[in-house]
Amino acid sequence: MEDTEKTEVTTALQAVIANQTGRVNVGQLYRKIDFRIIPLMFLCYFYQFLDKVAINYANVMEFGNARPGLQLDGHGLFISYAIAEFAQAYLLQRFPVSKVLGCNVFVWGLVLCCSAATRNFAGLLALRVLLGACESVVAPALILVTSVWYTKRQACARTGLWYCSVGVAQMAGGLVSFAAQHGSQDNDLARGAFGGWRIMFLAVGASNLLVSFAVLLWLPDTVDAARFLTTDEKALVRATLALDQGGNGRQVFRPRALVEALADPAVWLLFCIVVLTVIPSGVIVTFSATLINGFGYTSKQSALLNMPSGVVSIIATLLSTFAILRGIPRWLGILAMLVPTMIGAGLMSFYRGQGGSLAGIYLINFTIAPLALVFNLVGSNTSGYTKKVTAYATLAISFSIANIIGPQTFQSHEAPGYISAKITILVTNGAAMLVTILLRIIYGRRNRKTEKAREAQLAAVVRGKPR
């Protein structure tokens, strides 16, 4: 498209927005969209993360006490999570996003319910593998849904809102664990017993089934399919997204876009940032309650003392994502979140008292927030449906890889110091800072090229360049 044609399109979109703004209350419109879309995304990510938190608390609750050898750290889940990612990306490319998401939520709810009835390691492992395959669709699907409805600037805060479900899941997991431990701890199904961690899995799984029905019934796939919006409201949203160059474009597979995404150095730098920041969070999510338990607290106390980790996650996520609305660059937000994580790792590594070590565990939860900013970076700097899906799938794979690596740094022979894990957290945070700065350099160069192109376009308009 020529510069003049682009200008005409921009002018036409601005005219549509101006016309519709006179008919539609913009603030009321986006509140309506927020109330319909964000709670559903929040619940999907909440329950996906609550499952991982459940493993953390189940370990403290003497997971498999009635069946020795049932202990599981979640590796099967994350291996299948990575393997299934591109298959899920194909489904997102081929079918409506809400239908793919809702069906996966339904299946993993059933799997969690079945997990409550497992009697041996093999059965639980098989279910965790299936669970990982279903959960792998969540993050890519939610980011696509966010980009369908919001501009680049709007998307960051909205991503932060549904991503706060991570912190809420950490707190809810503590409460569910605490409550479950007050019931029977006899998990022997052969005698008809049903208590402890089995109750926890059944409760979480049944809740997932309800969420799946809500997603299938109430989450629209496109702006045009939103029955809760008027014709004028739909026109305003479409024009706003088109002017912002937001949205996903046509849901058509383009092999060239797939190659472009995989050849983009920025995508691989984001891949590295996710791995380097999620390794510490993988350690904390999997072992924080166990570490607190190792300080001399009971399993019930450990469940409650781990709940402030969720508060830290929520505060960090809201601070970092809403700071973008105030003009703070995303890369700087990532760096700001890594500083408290580094301090927390230092406290956990070198402070000898219980209080300091506990504070260190809480501070490390700041490392959960950068992932929301990485999600938003992809949505803001990647165009085209195929390229977006490919980039999201790549990041989801990096997420699973990090969650496999993180727990491996906890070596049983190093207990209770776990020096390898502590050094890993320090090193990965430092490396993440360096990679983030490098990503900023690459995006800066691209932005300068884009800005020059816009300046040339405006100059052509001023000169009255003919078509």
Side-chain angles (χ1 to χ4, degrees), residues 38-48 108 162 165 208 211 214:
I38 292 179
L40 293 174
M41 294 195 292
F42 182 97
L43 288 172
C44 287
Y45 208 75
F46 168 80
Y47 280 108
Q48 180 247 185
W108 97 55
W162 60 256
S165 60
N208 268 281
V211 172

Coordinates of all heavy atoms in Angstrom, one line a residue, residues 38-48 108 162 165 208 211 214:
I38 N -12.8 -10.1 30.9 CA -11.7 -10.3 31.9 C -12.0 -11.3 33.0 O -11.1 -12.1 33.3 CB -11.2 -8.9 32.5 CG1 -10.6 -8.1 31.4 CG2 -10.3 -9.1 33.7 CD1 -10.2 -6.7 31.9
P39 N -13.2 -11.3 33.6 CA -13.4 -12.4 34.6 C -13.3 -13.8 34.0 O -12.8 -14.7 34.7 CB -14.9 -12.1 35.0 CG -15.1 -10.7 34.7 CD -14.3 -10.4 33.5
L40 N -13.7 -14.0 32.8 CA -13.5 -15.4 32.2 C -12.1 -15.7 32.0 O -11.6 -16.9 32.3 CB -14.3 -15.4 30.9 CG -15.8 -15.3 31.0 CD1 -16.4 -15.3 29.6 CD2 -16.4 -16.5 31.7
M41 N -11.3 -14.7 31.5 CA -9.8 -15.0 31.3 C -9.2 -15.2 32.7 O -8.3 -16.1 32.8 CB -9.2 -13.8 30.6 CG -9.7 -13.7 29.1 SD -8.6 -12.6 28.1 CE -8.9 -11.0 28.9
F42 N -9.6 -14.4 33.7 CA -9.0 -14.5 35.0 C -9.3 -15.9 35.6 O -8.3 -16.6 36.1 CB -9.7 -13.5 35.9 CG -9.2 -13.5 37.3 CD1 -8.2 -12.6 37.7 CD2 -9.7 -14.4 38.3 CE1 -7.7 -12.5 39.0 CE2 -9.2 -14.3 39.6 CZ -8.2 -13.4 40.0
L43 N -10.5 -16.4 35.4 CA -10.8 -17.8 36.0 C -10.0 -18.9 35.3 O -9.6 -19.8 35.9 CB -12.3 -18.0 35.8 CG -13.2 -17.2 36.8 CD1 -14.6 -17.4 36.5 CD2 -12.9 -17.6 38.3
C44 N -9.9 -18.7 33.9 CA -9.1 -19.8 33.2 C -7.7 -19.8 33.7 O -7.1 -20.9 33.9 CB -9.1 -19.5 31.7 SG -10.7 -19.8 30.9
Y45 N -7.0 -18.7 33.8 CA -5.6 -18.7 34.2 C -5.5 -19.0 35.7 O -4.5 -19.7 36.1 CB -5.0 -17.3 33.9 CG -3.5 -17.4 33.7 CD1 -3.0 -17.9 32.5 CD2 -2.6 -17.0 34.7 CE1 -1.6 -18.0 32.3 CE2 -1.2 -17.2 34.4 CZ -0.7 -17.6 33.2 OH 0.6 -17.8 33.0
F46 N -6.5 -18.6 36.5 CA -6.5 -18.9 37.9 C -6.5 -20.4 38.1 O -5.7 -21.0 38.9 CB -7.7 -18.3 38.6 CG -8.0 -18.8 40.0 CD1 -7.3 -18.2 41.0 CD2 -9.0 -19.7 40.2 CE1 -7.6 -18.7 42.3 CE2 -9.3 -20.2 41.5 CZ -8.6 -19.6 42.6
Y47 N -7.4 -21.1 37.5 CA -7.5 -22.6 37.7 C -6.3 -23.3 37.1 O -5.9 -24.4 37.6 CB -8.8 -23.1 37.2 CG -9.9 -22.9 38.2 CD1 -10.9 -21.9 37.9 CD2 -10.0 -23.5 39.4 CE1 -11.9 -21.6 38.8 CE2 -11.0 -23.3 40.3 CZ -12.0 -22.3 40.0 OH -13.0 -22.1 40.9
Q48 N -5.8 -22.8 36.0 CA -4.6 -23.5 35.4 C -3.4 -23.4 36.4 O -2.7 -24.3 36.5 CB -4.3 -22.8 34.1 CG -3.1 -23.4 33.4 CD -1.9 -22.4 33.3 OE1 -0.9 -22.6 32.7 NE2 -2.0 -21.2 34.0
W108 N -9.4 -30.8 31.2 CA -8.5 -30.8 32.4 C -9.3 -30.8 33.7 O -8.8 -31.3 34.7 CB -7.4 -29.7 32.3 CG -7.6 -28.4 33.0 CD1 -7.9 -28.2 34.3 CD2 -7.4 -27.1 32.4 NE1 -7.9 -26.9 34.6 CE2 -7.6 -26.2 33.5 CE3 -7.2 -26.7 31.2 CZ2 -7.6 -24.8 33.3 CZ3 -7.1 -25.3 31.0 CH2 -7.3 -24.4 32.0
W162 N -5.9 -10.1 34.4 CA -6.1 -11.5 34.5 C -4.9 -12.3 34.9 O -5.0 -13.4 35.5 CB -6.7 -12.1 33.1 CG -5.8 -11.9 31.9 CD1 -6.0 -11.0 30.9 CD2 -4.7 -12.7 31.4 NE1 -5.1 -11.2 29.9 CE2 -4.3 -12.3 30.2 CE3 -4.1 -13.8 32.0 CZ2 -3.3 -12.8 29.5 CZ3 -3.0 -14.4 31.3 CH2 -2.6 -13.9 30.0
S165 N -4.4 -13.4 38.7 CA -5.0 -14.7 39.1 C -3.9 -15.6 39.6 O -4.2 -16.5 40.5 CB -5.7 -15.4 38.0 OG -4.8 -15.7 36.9
N208 N -13.3 -26.3 37.7 CA -12.9 -26.2 36.3 C -14.0 -26.5 35.4 O -14.1 -25.9 34.3 CB -11.7 -27.1 36.1 CG -10.4 -26.4 36.3 OD1 -9.9 -25.6 35.5 ND2 -9.7 -26.7 37.4
V211 N -16.2 -23.5 35.0 CA -15.6 -22.5 34.2 C -15.6 -22.8 32.7 O -15.8 -21.9 31.9 CB -14.1 -22.3 34.7 CG1 -13.4 -21.3 33.8 CG2 -14.1 -21.7 36.1
A214 N -18.9 -21.8 31.3 CA -19.0 -20.3 31.2 C -18.2 -19.8 30.0 O -18.7 -18.9 29.2 CB -18.4 -19.7 32.4

